[in-house]
Amino acid sequence: MPHSLLARSVGLRLVPPSSTGDSPITSYEVTCRPYAEYRSYVKDTVQRFSVTSVTVTGLQPATKYSCWYRAENAVGRSGPSPILKLTTPESPPGTPENLSTVSSSAGHVTTFFKPMSPALSHGVLTGYQITFNATECVTHQDCPCQQYNCSLHGSVSFHESWVSNSISLSGLRYLTQYQISVAAVNRAGLGQKAWIEFMPEESASGPVNRVVAMVISSSAVKTKWEAPDTSHGTYPILCLR
């Protein structure tokens, strides 16, 4: 009978057979077999023990098993014990796979990742958590005196109504290196994070408007203009030439 059940192990107390055939029991072979719907990614677990209080390890979280054991002595093995059915509890998900990013416009990036497989979900997925942080500012080659503030960061969470395997982020600063992480969530908690770095594409500024030049001395001209519109983004102007 089980005396403990964790996501990846089960503790069992084995009952010796009533008759040993005049030869002492030397070991017990314990088998835990996943139900048919799990067998594409979960294998049988078979382990031998010399005691009757045992812990079977190597199980898969959130999986239904049929477990039994056989006693062994010098003569051979006994028939199987009555089958014990159990379901291991969930554990936090594994790491999302195949992260990639695609920039579709300035300050906008879409991150794609492979849908979480049953072998990695370790239970019923309830969503994903996305975090992003600016990790490094890059000085513009034409205006080395100016640099961006690298404080932009944030997080986005998607819950069970969200079924896509991609997420779009906007309002990011160009010339800034970002690090984005994706982690799956199930009822046991937050899983392991996968990381990727990217830099949003920049776009050229729009034209300045209504340029007016006024001569203020024989060696100086004062120039005024209207700032470009924001149709190319809302990023700060680095310099004017």
Side-chain angles (χ1 to χ4, degrees), residues 8 61 91-97 99 113 116 119-122 125 127-131 180-186 188-195:
R8 297 183 181 276
S91 69
T95 306
E97 299 177 323
L99 262 67
F113 48 93
M116 186 68 67
L120 292 175
S121 61
H122 299 167
L125 288 184
Y128 292 85
Q129 183 187 82
I130 316 295
T131 61
I180 188 169
S181 70
V182 179
V185 184
N186 65 16
L190 182 68
Q192 301 175 49
K193 295 181 179 180
W195 299 89

Side-chain angles (χ1 to χ4, degrees), residues 148-163:
Y148 284 108
N149 176 6
C150 277
S151 61
L152 186 64
H153 62 277
S155 65
V156 187
S157 295
F158 297 88
H159 302 292
E160 51 192 349
S161 60
W162 186 72
V163 296

Side-chain angles (χ1 to χ4, degrees), residues 39-114:
R39 290 180 192 163
S40 62
Y41 61 94
V42 184
K43 297 180 180 180
D44 288 3
T45 297
V46 181
Q47 296 175 4
R48 282 184 168 79
F49 304 92
S50 60
V51 294
T52 56
S53 182
V54 304
T55 299
V56 180
T57 59
L59 304 182
Q60 178 78 6
T63 302
K64 294 180 179 181
Y65 285 92
S66 296
C67 297
W68 65 89
Y69 61 93
R70 300 172 187 265
E72 297 181 339
N73 61 13
V75 179
R77 291 194 306 171
S78 69
S81 67
I83 291 177
L84 171 67
K85 296 183 178 182
L86 57 88
T87 303
T88 51
E90 295 185 9
S91 69
T95 306
E97 299 177 323
N98 298 352
L99 262 67
S100 63
T101 59
V102 174
S103 293
S104 57
S105 61
H108 182 96
V109 68
T110 300
T111 298
F112 298 89
F113 48 93
K114 184 179 179 180

Side-chain angles (χ1 to χ4, degrees), residues 1-4 10-17 20 24-30 48-56 69-72:
M1 295 297 293
H3 60 81
S4 66
V10 59
L12 300 173
R13 291 190 177 92
L14 311 181
V15 179
T20 63
I25 301 298
T26 57
S27 64
Y28 294 90
E29 181 187 80
V30 180
R48 282 184 168 79
F49 304 92
S50 60
V51 294
T52 56
S53 182
V54 304
T55 299
V56 180
Y69 61 93
R70 300 172 187 265
E72 297 181 339

